[in-house]
Amino acid sequence: MKAIEVDVFGLVQGVGFRWFAQRTAQQHNIVGWVSNQTDGSVKIQAQGSQSDLIDFLSMLEKGPGCYSRVDKVITTNIPLFETNDFAIRG
């Protein structure tokens, strides 16, 4: 198991990105949360197996579709945390 924090920059608010992240996390056995940030980015804390996280990040880099645009993804390793689902926050 591994935990990461992900900051996603671009056109990622108001385009269904948080719901896309939640659905994608559930499809890849990822737990954690996603939240809009005041600077227009999206922050994600995600935990899962190394291979599931790689697949999850690959999908995040593409985004949910034609209305979104992902310009940059910054990933940082963080300590493991306690949760059993993937939530949408603020």
Side-chain angles (χ1 to χ4, degrees), residues 20-37:
F20 167 76
Q22 182 184 48
R23 185 177 66 249
T24 303
Q26 292 166 343
Q27 292 170 348
H28 291 91
N29 303 307
I30 302 294
V31 297
W33 55 265
V34 58
S35 178
N36 284 341
Q37 302 298 292

Side-chain angles (χ1 to χ4, degrees), residues 18 21-23 25-26 30-34 44-47 56 83-88:
R18 290 178 298 161
Q22 182 184 48
R23 185 177 66 249
Q26 292 166 343
I30 302 294
V31 297
W33 55 265
V34 58
I44 299 166
Q45 286 196 355
Q47 183 171 282
F56 177 62
T83 191
N84 59 2
D85 64 356
F86 193 93
I88 294 175

Side-chain angles (χ1 to χ4, degrees), residues 60-80:
L60 291 179
E61 289 172 354
K62 295 174 186 170
C66 61
Y67 297 109
S68 70
R69 185 188 74 248
V70 176
D71 294 333
K72 179 170 58 169
V73 176
I74 299 172
T75 305
T76 308
N77 292 326
I78 60 172
L80 295 176

Side-chain angles (χ1 to χ4, degrees), residues 38-57:
T38 57
D39 66 357
S41 68
V42 170
K43 184 176 291 290
I44 299 166
Q45 286 196 355
Q47 183 171 282
S49 72
Q50 177 76 26
S51 62
D52 286 337
L53 286 169
I54 289 170
D55 292 342
F56 177 62
L57 286 170

